[in-house]
Amino acid sequence: MSTAKTSPEEAVDAVSTDTPPSDSLREEYETLSDQVRKYRFAYYNEDAPLVSDAEFDQLYRRLEKLEALHPELVTNDSPTQEVGGEVSAAFAPVEHLSRMYSLEDVFSLDELDAWVKRAEASIASIAPGSKVRWLTELKIDGLAVNLLYRNGELVRAATRGDGTTGEDITHNVLTIASIPRRLQGENLPSEVEIRGEVFIPSKEFTRLNEKMVDAGKAPFANPRNAAAGSLRQKDPKVTAERPLSMYVHGIGAREGLGAASQSETYELLKAWGLPTSPYYKVLETYDEVLEFIAVNGEQRHSLAHEIDGIVVKVDDFALQRALGHTSRVPRWSVAYKYPPEEVNTKLLDIRVNVGRTGRVTPYGMMEPVKVAGSTVEMATLHNQDVVKAKGVKIGDTVVLRKAGDVIPEIVGPVVALRDGSERDFVMPTHCPSCGTELKPAKEGDVDIRCPNARSCPSQLRERVFHLAGRGAFDIEALGWEAAIALTSPAEPQTPPLTSEAGLFDLKIEDLADVRIERPKRSKGVVVGTELVPYFYTKGTAKKPSEPSANTRKLFEELEKAKSQPLWRVLVALSIRHVGPTAARALATAFGSMENIRAATEEQLAHVDGVGPTIAAALEEWFAEDWHVEIVDSWARAGVRMADERDDSQPRTLEGLTVVVTGTLPNFSRDEAKEAIITRGGKASGSVSKKTDYLVAGENAGTKLDKAESLGVPVLDEDGFRQLLENGPLDSGSADNAEDNAEDEETTP
């Protein structure tokens, strides 16, 4: 291999097709071939993937690129010339009547666009004037299975294997309730191969792994791994205990079947009693295909099963036959794969974080890895029961998932890569921040908490960080590091804040001596640590230390925060369950902090959007003297504790529940909610049968789909303005007694 700092892929790019492959490129090709074979065998034959799908795809594409540049390297046993995996000796081999192919994968919309144009050009040349319709469906992350029916009777089931020969798994498939032993109806084909995917639904996968761990067994890495492992059990009784499902999506060999298209075949399959996917559409245009991809990309984690992409097929069988196949894939179908959201990385440690309400949350510290567009090195594990249910150990290689802006999640361990050095996580019995014994807040709680709410440094730090957030005082200059500096500076300093009560009494000179520990560097290399001022600049002989620009901005924003509306003050107090929705409802109903404090638990619970749980939490919070001192101290410092009531505002939305989704040109999300609440309505965050109206802006997403399916009226911004001004067009309104309790914690 060359010692130059060039990646293998760059090395491939740098070589002309006219140049014979060098020894280093031949070595690269052999290494890639061996890796792809090894990982493919583990995936298909041992049901124990050693790398993530994204990593395998990257290796496979590099191999394809090398072969495209140097066709002389390609041999008959190249992994790119094979379909799927080998046939295991543990099962009887079965020859398919009609070959089972793989699908060509594309990884970007540009590649999909190029594929569609090639397919359309080929169709135009072989069948001029033909109209192409695209059958578009979800790419199920499961195990490909071939069902053979003769005169309507299921006589055999087999895995795909290498495409020509599969494994006989008939006895195991017969345990899957959704697969009929006999087809329904009359005039059934004398012989037909029906192809589909066996999978485990997402919710059932979680339950299955919990059972595996409880039984002392290793959990599965992913649903596909679980489905494949379940179908390859030697004892069908074990398979019967697994929550397997199947969707059929294709036809192999057929006799006496006269369907003219893929979609027509799907209707036949459904009529025969076979389980077909509800997630497919026949689309007339490529733009509709793109929309299908976008919509299902947003919804992919709310579907019944895991998917990793979208399959696009030419619907017409005559056109399929005309386009034909390569040695490995059909030319009439392609799989668009979504950007990877799962990768493998090393779990270096499991630590715990103590949140602002005292909840102790385990989280994983991992080797930094890029996933879903960002570098991740920490992921939540929620509580000790979740750690146990996932079966992860410190030192494991783990599957990490990050979907868009969602907090990264550790899915589970890659058990096949364990070497015995891994160790179990043990939940601490005492708070790592203050040493107080940990315990549940009440009997039966899964979460354990640090009861030292007043003095625990971690809880104070988290509360200070929370009160500066966008949903509370919105103090941009008070971030995570500033919260640490204010509450937990480097020892032996006394923190400027020992309670959030003193936040608005701070003076800029109080922060002059605050130091934090930072890495010390010499010529760009870390050589230790040093204490440096956080809020002030480093002083020199010529220029004495002075408040930094960010510190001056902090005090300007603290002054602005004093005039924030009452609901933001309520959120800033970190009262358990009181998030923005409940806080707005309380502020609207009572108008002032004094009225809220004076209200009985029954009066609080009666407020729409509050309910008994939040009411009890409020009563409990105000019963603590040190909590009351926070409110009183802020009030003395000039923090606004009452809203100006505008009694002239018409109550046009009294009793109505309105959901706002997407982007509105002239309303921020908070402004839209405020407009609804001040007119007597309830601004809900989820669509249900109790929703009266959905206001949909640009990129409305899944809430719009749900509203349409439930028959909820949908308004654009103009319609929303009319609703605010005039109320509903009819007199009907929905019962909207819906609890919106929120208990937000900050997790690293």
Side-chain angles (χ1 to χ4, degrees):
M1 293 285 287
S2 170
T3 57
K5 294 182 179 179
T6 304
S7 72
E9 196 160 347
E10 290 171 334
V12 174
D13 287 337
V15 179
S16 165
T17 54
D18 297 328
T19 306
S22 64
D23 289 344
S24 63
L25 279 177
R26 288 183 182 277
E27 184 180 342
E28 169 71 8
Y29 177 77
E30 291 299 329
T31 301
L32 280 172
S33 297
D34 289 344
Q35 285 179 313
V36 168
R37 288 191 191 97
K38 173 185 174 182
Y39 295 146
R40 178 183 274 170
F41 185 85
Y43 184 89
Y44 285 107
N45 294 78
E46 298 182 338
D47 309 318
L50 301 178
V51 294
S52 67
D53 286 355
E55 292 171 274
F56 180 84
D57 288 340
Q58 186 179 26
L59 289 171
Y60 192 87
R61 298 193 88 194
R62 279 164 55 189
L63 188 64
E64 285 185 314
K65 200 166 192 176
L66 256 178
E67 291 185 345
L69 288 169
H70 295 287
E72 64 270 30
L73 292 174
V74 184
T75 59
N76 289 336
D77 65 347
S78 166
T80 64
Q81 307 304 302
E82 299 168 352
V83 175
E86 302 171 10
V87 177
S88 170
F91 294 88
V94 171
E95 281 204 26
H96 305 306
L97 304 183
S98 174
R99 185 176 180 186
M100 294 181 73
Y101 289 86
S102 294
L103 286 176
E104 180 179 347
D105 292 331
V106 295
F107 297 87
S108 70
L109 294 179
D110 287 342
E111 290 182 21
L112 178 63
D113 181 63
W115 183 91
V116 168
K117 287 177 178 174
R118 284 199 307 272
E120 289 177 333
S122 296
I123 290 169
S125 66
I126 58 181
S130 296
K131 171 66 177 173
V132 185
R133 300 167 77 233
W134 305 103
L135 186 139
T136 311
E137 59 192 349
L138 306 186
K139 186 174 185 296
I140 303 170
D141 195 8
L143 181 73
V145 169
N146 188 35
L147 306 175
L148 176 61
Y149 284 87
R150 288 197 179 112
N151 298 315
E153 294 283 347
L154 178 60
V155 297
R156 192 173 69 202
T159 64
R160 180 173 61 182
D162 62 7
T164 300
T165 305
E167 301 153 332
D168 191 331
I169 53 170
T170 307
H171 292 301
N172 289 343
V173 166
L174 288 173
T175 68
I176 302 174
S178 60
I179 300 176
R181 295 193 178 197
R182 178 165 182 81
L183 301 179
Q184 299 173 6
E186 299 177 356
N187 300 318
L188 297 169
S190 58
E191 188 170 67
V192 62
E193 285 183 313
I194 296 168
R195 277 81 190 262
E197 294 281 326
V198 172
F199 63 92
I200 292 181
S202 301
K203 291 181 180 178
E204 296 296 337
F205 172 68
T206 301
R207 296 190 188 102
L208 173 61
N209 261 357
E210 288 174 357
K211 288 181 181 178
M212 296 287 286
V213 173
D214 286 342
K217 299 177 181 178
F220 292 104
N222 52 53
R224 192 267 170 205
N225 170 219
S230 299
L231 279 179
R232 286 200 173 97
Q233 293 293 318
K234 296 298 289 182
D235 184 355
K237 291 180 182 177
V238 178
T239 305
E241 294 172 355
R242 303 284 171 81
L244 296 170
S245 295
M246 184 177 187
Y247 284 153
V248 299
H249 56 59
I251 298 284
R254 68 200 81 177
E255 283 189 20
L257 182 65
S261 67
Q262 193 89 21
S263 55
E264 188 179 327
T265 302
Y266 280 14
E267 293 304 312
L268 273 177
L269 295 175
K270 192 185 300 182
W272 292 343
L274 287 158
T276 56
S277 172
Y279 306 117
Y280 81 87
K281 287 184 178 180
V282 179
L283 304 172
E284 302 290 335
T285 68
Y286 178 55
D287 284 343
E288 289 176 321
V289 172
L290 293 177
E291 183 181 358
F292 186 92
I293 289 170
V295 168
N296 284 284
E298 291 177 5
Q299 298 176 350
R300 62 186 292 192
H301 299 293
S302 61
L303 300 170
H305 52 74
E306 290 293 319
I307 65 170
D308 60 358
I310 299 294
V311 177
V312 182
K313 301 175 180 176
V314 173
D315 188 41
D316 184 87
F317 279 156
L319 293 179
Q320 287 187 12
R321 288 191 293 270
L323 289 169
H325 300 74
T326 69
S327 62
R328 198 175 60 88
V329 300
R331 292 192 178 95
W332 44 265
S333 184
V334 71
Y336 167 78
K337 300 191 80 171
Y338 289 115
E341 294 183 331
E342 288 188 359
V343 295
N344 291 359
T345 189
K346 198 82 168 177
L347 179 62
L348 302 175
D349 198 6
I350 298 177
R351 302 175 186 173
V352 298
N353 178 67
V354 183
R356 62 188 172 90
T357 61
R359 185 171 66 189
V360 180
T361 306
Y363 65 95
M365 291 292 300
M366 297 158 300
E367 287 183 353
V369 62
K370 192 161 187 178
V371 55
S374 59
T375 299
V376 173
E377 56 185 320
M378 290 184 285
T380 182
L381 283 162
H382 302 291
N383 58 53
Q384 67 272 27
D385 285 2
V386 170
V387 178
K388 180 184 175 185
K390 289 181 182 292
V392 293
K393 298 174 180 283
I394 297 168
D396 267 333
T397 296
V398 295
V399 179
L400 179 73
R401 174 188 294 161
K402 182 175 184 289
D405 294 328
V406 177
I407 296 171
E409 174 194 7
I410 293 173
V411 179
V414 183
V415 178
L417 293 179
R418 283 181 175 166
D419 60 12
S421 65
E422 300 80 14
R423 66 187 193 278
D424 291 328
F425 165 71
V426 179
M427 194 73 172
T429 58
H430 290 74
C431 176
S433 182
C434 67
T436 304
E437 186 176 359
L438 303 173
K439 58 184 180 181
K442 60 180 184 293
E443 190 175 348
D445 278 3
V446 174
D447 295 327
I448 60 172
R449 297 177 185 266
C450 171
N452 182 24
R454 181 173 191 172
S455 305
C456 177
S458 285
Q459 293 185 60
L460 174 60
R461 176 195 66 218
E462 297 280 358
R463 291 198 302 268
V464 169
F465 178 63
H466 166 77
L467 66 81
R470 291 184 179 179
F473 282 126
D474 195 15
I475 305 170
E476 188 179 334
L478 180 45
W480 177 249
E481 199 172 38
I484 294 173
L486 287 171
T487 61
S488 311
E491 294 183 356
Q493 302 167 83
T494 300
L497 286 182
T498 55
S499 164
E500 57 265 54
L503 178 66
F504 293 97
D505 294 323
L506 285 174
K507 296 180 175 56
I508 202 164
E509 55 269 23
D510 295 340
L511 309 182
D513 297 325
V514 175
R515 301 284 193 275
I516 63 168
E517 199 171 75
R518 285 261 174 85
K520 185 177 182 180
R521 299 177 184 274
S522 176
K523 298 180 180 179
V525 179
V526 176
V527 294
T529 61
E530 61 179 337
L531 293 180
V532 297
Y534 182 79
F535 294 102
Y536 273 58
T537 61
K538 282 185 178 181
T540 64
K542 294 183 178 180
K543 190 174 183 181
S545 178
E546 62 180 8
S548 67
N550 201 58
T551 301
R552 296 187 190 279
K553 184 179 180 182
L554 169 62
F555 279 84
E556 290 171 5
E557 292 191 359
L558 283 171
E559 196 60 34
K560 290 179 185 176
K562 294 178 182 179
S563 60
Q564 290 282 24
L566 177 62
W567 73 266
R568 288 184 175 274
V569 180
L570 286 166
V571 174
L573 291 172
S574 285
I575 304 169
R576 194 176 179 195
H577 302 306
V578 178
T581 301
R584 282 189 176 95
L586 288 163
T588 301
F590 295 101
S592 71
M593 188 70 73
E594 183 181 355
N595 290 341
I596 294 171
R597 289 168 64 172
T600 65
E601 189 171 329
E602 184 180 359
Q603 289 171 326
L604 292 167
H606 188 69
V607 175
D608 184 29
V610 177
T613 300
I614 297 174
L618 284 159
E619 285 286 294
E620 183 181 328
W621 195 87
F622 279 110
E624 293 281 351
D625 290 343
W626 70 275
H627 288 161
V628 174
E629 173 54 29
I630 296 170
V631 176
D632 292 343
S633 178
W634 286 2
R636 287 193 298 270
V639 174
R640 175 176 164 183
M641 292 290 167
D643 286 338
E644 296 178 8
R645 305 302 292 265
D646 183 4
D647 295 330
S648 64
Q649 185 70 265
R651 307 282 286 180
T652 52
L653 304 185
E654 195 74 58
L656 298 181
T657 298
V658 182
V659 176
V660 178
T661 186
T663 303
L664 299 176
N666 299 299
F667 286 88
S668 69
R669 190 63 61 87
D670 282 342
E671 288 170 343
K673 287 183 177 180
E674 200 75 28
I676 294 164
I677 292 168
T678 56
R679 287 163 176 80
K682 176 183 176 182
S684 178
S686 59
V687 176
S688 71
K689 293 179 181 178
K690 298 178 181 179
T691 304
D692 294 291
Y693 292 94
L694 176 80
V695 179
E698 191 176 348
N699 300 318
T702 58
K703 291 179 184 176
L704 176 58
D705 295 334
K706 187 170 183 181
E708 290 174 341
S709 70
L710 293 173
V712 174
V714 178
L715 305 176
D716 59 12
E717 184 173 314
D718 288 340
F720 181 44
R721 288 185 182 278
Q722 291 179 31
L723 181 70
L724 294 174
E725 292 173 11
N726 306 316
L729 297 177
D730 54 57
S731 57
S733 65
D735 175 12
N736 51 42
E738 190 176 29
D739 193 342
N740 272 298
E742 298 186 36
D743 184 11
E744 300 169 8
E745 292 269 359
T746 301
T747 303

